Amino acid sequence: GIPQACIRPDGSIKVWTQADGLASMKCRVSIKTTSGDYYIGTPKGLSIFHADGSLRNLTKQDGLENEYIMWVYESDEREIWLGTDGGGVYVIKDEQILHHYTTEQGLSGNIIFKINTHNITIIIFSSTYSSFSIIIITIPNINIIIANN
């Protein structure tokens, strides 16, 4: 597999492998959060490399029913939204699962290709190819609305 690499602003390159603790050598997606941590989605869980150099992996033992992370998104509230390959969406904060959304809560599918926002709306693109899910964030409630193409 190909290691996860980061090109720093100074042009230097940082490379992580399983020897460093990366959950898998197959990396699907990664982001650098506003706190400076790297969240790396793999087929075997989420690897979190902290700015201080420490590492934590989130896996089934931490409550992820499906470890295959397809998408990682950071909200304005610094919550991390994880799209999975069959397990729906997880919302985590401070490395703890806050919410888990699946078709049981109204998502159109549990394979999540992308998560993005528009104003206060979180848009989740799932696997049905004929519909997508929109989550409207209204404090303190979260409502799921299914929109069909």
Side-chain angles (χ1 to χ4, degrees), residues 31 71-76 79-82 115-117 122:
I31 64 167
W71 194 260
V72 180
Y73 171 80
E74 182 181 21
S75 72
D76 291 339
E79 295 172 335
I80 304 299
W81 291 64
L82 306 174
I115 301 171
N116 211 334
T117 59
I122 302 237

Side-chain angles (χ1 to χ4, degrees), residues 3-139:
Q4 181 70 26
C6 170
I7 301 174
R8 297 180 175 138
D10 67 3
S12 64
I13 298 175
K14 170 66 182 165
V15 176
W16 295 290
T17 67
Q18 284 182 290
D20 299 307
L22 192 63
S24 171
M25 289 297 288
K26 294 181 180 179
C27 300
R28 170 85 176 152
V29 63
S30 64
I31 64 167
K32 183 177 181 181
T33 65
T34 55
S35 65
D37 299 333
Y38 290 90
Y39 281 66
I40 302 168
T42 79
K44 295 185 178 180
L46 180 73
S47 293
I48 304 168
F49 284 93
H50 297 285
D52 66 8
S54 62
L55 164 74
R56 169 133 193 250
N57 289 314
L58 293 178
T59 63
K60 286 185 179 181
Q61 290 125 347
D62 302 294
L64 293 179
E65 294 173 23
N66 185 303
E67 296 177 317
Y68 198 117
I69 308 300
M70 302 267 290
W71 194 260
V72 180
Y73 171 80
E74 182 181 21
S75 72
D76 291 339
E77 292 78 26
R78 295 188 175 187
E79 295 172 335
I80 304 299
W81 291 64
L82 306 174
T84 67
D85 186 11
V89 174
Y90 290 88
V91 182
I92 62 174
K93 187 163 188 167
D94 301 323
E95 301 177 17
Q96 301 296 313
I97 297 172
L98 299 177
H99 306 286
H100 181 207
Y101 301 108
T102 66
T103 53
E104 290 182 17
Q105 287 76 37
L107 290 181
S108 59
N110 286 327
I111 299 173
I112 308 302
F113 293 105
K114 187 168 184 169
I115 301 171
N116 211 334
T117 59
H118 177 69
N119 298 327
I120 62 165
T121 304
I122 302 237
I123 303 171
I124 298 174
F125 295 92
S126 66
S127 64
T128 65
Y129 299 105
S130 63
S131 65
F132 60 93
S133 300
I134 299 175
I135 296 180
I136 310 278
I137 305 295
T138 53
I139 306 300

